[in-house]
Every structure is written in structure tokens, then in C-alpha cells.
Amino acid sequence: LAGDELDAHFRRALAKAGKIRVVYNGVSEIFNPGATNPESAGPANGTRPLRLLYVGRQDPYKNVTGLVRIFARAKQLVQAPLQLVIAGSPDPRYPEAANLARELGVQDQVSWTGYIPPDELANVYRTADCLVHPSRYEGFGLQIVEAMASGLPVVSSNSASLPEVGGNAAILLPPDDVEGFAGSIARILTDPAFTLDRVARGLRQAATFSWRRAAEETLNIYTEAARHSPGY
């Protein structure tokens, strides 16, 4: 058997087994808290603004306009300089978020980085203070796991797969809850004990997502399918 025929063969075998299995993605080991970085310690001594980070595309379902509204509201709640870093490839089809930033008067505090290679992105996570992800839909939400693995607290929407990925580590809210997002961000940025608890939870949650585990679970599924396939 080969190609489409092999794929159909295993689909029939799994259907006969009567089970659906979910195998989660892993997270690269380059995403980790790393050594103490003087720049990442900046907010404590006032050497840089507090950084909110978003990682991803700018398609409408990602709710980047909502992110800008959240940022503008968080600026009103936090008595410290704030910066929003939007990491991801620019998309000229969707200028709405940049336009809104200008309308709300926060364009000078919003940084659009463009695409960042993974090794550089790892340091961007480490030097941020909170990942903010108000997306309306995600098939998985890899940036949530990367952030948690990097020791970054997460405030995320509760849409689609994100509650599974964030577990009890991420703060999960409806994607349009601007006040809820902004209030949660303010607490993370001003309540060290709360933040340390969320970071610890995130590291534990991220540790459950590994490519080794994904490979082993995938192999187990094929092995089980083979057992339910007479004559194969």
C-alpha cells in the first residue's frame, strides 16, 4: 500500500477501532526562560517601558484591532510607560489595527516588528512582560505555549483550542472583553506574587507539550491501527 491508498487503509482501521485520538504539537526547546537578562529586568528599575507582546498574523479573526483597544485601555490603568510589540509579518490587506492605533493616539507606543526568526523570537518572549492574545480562533495556539515555556504570563481569549492549550496557567477571557483583558494585564504588571504564580503555572503547562511526546503518541496510534487491520 502507498500514498492515498495507505491513508484510506489507516482511516478505515481507526474507524473500526472506534476512537479519535488527539496529538498535541510540541514546543521547541529554544523557547525557555534563559539566563537573567538585564534588559528583561528593566521595568523594576525603570529602564524601559513595560512590554505587552502579540505574536501572529493580522487576519481579522486574530482580532488585532481588539488588541489595540485592549492596549489603549491598559495604558489608562497602569501608572507606568507601556509598549505594545506586534511580532509577525505585515499584511497590507488589513490596515485596520494601525489605523485604530492612530485614532486612539497610541501609535507611538505600538511597535510592528515584521517577521522574526525563531531564535530571535525566543529573546523577544524573554524580554516581554505579558503575552496578549485575543484571537477569535486558533487551530492550536503555538504562541501561547512558546510564551509559557519562556516564562511569560499569558492573557488569552477563551476561543476554540486556546483553553486546552492555556490550561490553568493562562488567564482566559472572551475575545471582546476589553475591560477584562486590560484589568488582567494591569494585575500582571502590578502584582508580583500573582505574576510569579502565573509564570510557574505556565512553565508546568508548557512542559506537557513536547515533540518527543507527539512522536510517541503518533506512533502508538499507527500501531493500534495496525492491530485492527487484519492481514496488514
Side-chain angles (χ1 to χ4, degrees):
L1 298 178
D4 293 341
E5 187 179 1
L6 180 62
D7 180 65
H9 177 87
F10 276 111
R11 287 180 181 273
R12 288 193 298 270
L14 287 172
K16 190 179 296 184
K19 297 177 180 178
I20 295 177
R21 300 290 178 83
V22 176
V23 177
Y24 291 110
N25 289 340
V27 60
S28 171
E29 294 181 357
I30 68 171
F31 298 105
N32 60 74
T36 300
N37 186 317
E39 185 182 1
S40 68
N45 53 35
T47 59
R48 68 163 175 82
L50 296 162
R51 288 187 186 137
L52 306 182
L53 175 65
Y54 166 82
V55 178
R57 295 163 58 89
Q58 296 175 36
D59 302 69
Y61 75 90
K62 293 287 192 176
N63 196 25
V64 183
T65 54
L67 173 71
V68 172
R69 292 187 189 280
I70 290 164
F71 174 66
R73 179 58 179 142
K75 278 176 56 64
Q76 297 173 343
L77 299 179
V78 178
Q79 301 302 310
L82 291 188
Q83 178 186 27
L84 174 60
V85 177
I86 298 178
S89 298
D91 194 326
R93 296 176 298 172
Y94 309 120
E96 294 83 3
N99 292 341
L100 181 60
R102 285 190 290 271
E103 290 173 17
L104 297 177
V106 298
Q107 71 274 16
D108 291 340
Q109 291 83 49
V110 179
S111 173
W112 309 77
T113 70
Y115 172 76
I116 300 177
D119 56 341
E120 295 179 23
L121 181 60
N123 194 55
V124 171
Y125 281 119
R126 293 188 194 109
T127 55
D129 297 289
C130 179
L131 182 85
V132 185
H133 194 73
S135 177
R136 301 184 187 282
Y137 176 80
E138 294 292 338
F140 180 68
L142 188 59
Q143 57 274 88
I144 302 297
V145 186
E146 291 174 346
M148 293 188 298
S150 303
L152 190 61
V154 172
V155 184
S156 169
S157 70
N158 59 3
S159 302
S161 63
L162 295 172
E164 284 185 74
V165 175
N168 72 347
I171 299 174
L172 300 167
L173 298 160
D176 292 317
D177 186 0
V178 173
E179 285 295 322
F181 266 86
S184 298
I185 291 165
R187 186 173 183 189
I188 284 173
L189 298 180
T190 60
D191 186 340
F194 177 76
T195 302
L196 286 173
D197 175 67
R198 289 290 164 174
V199 168
R201 292 187 190 198
L203 291 170
R204 290 193 296 269
Q205 177 72 0
T208 66
F209 298 95
S210 75
W211 285 118
R212 181 180 182 86
R213 177 180 176 180
E216 290 173 346
E217 291 182 354
T218 302
L219 177 60
N220 290 339
I221 290 170
Y222 277 100
T223 300
E224 181 176 350
R227 286 202 303 268
H228 286 85
S229 178
Y232 177 68

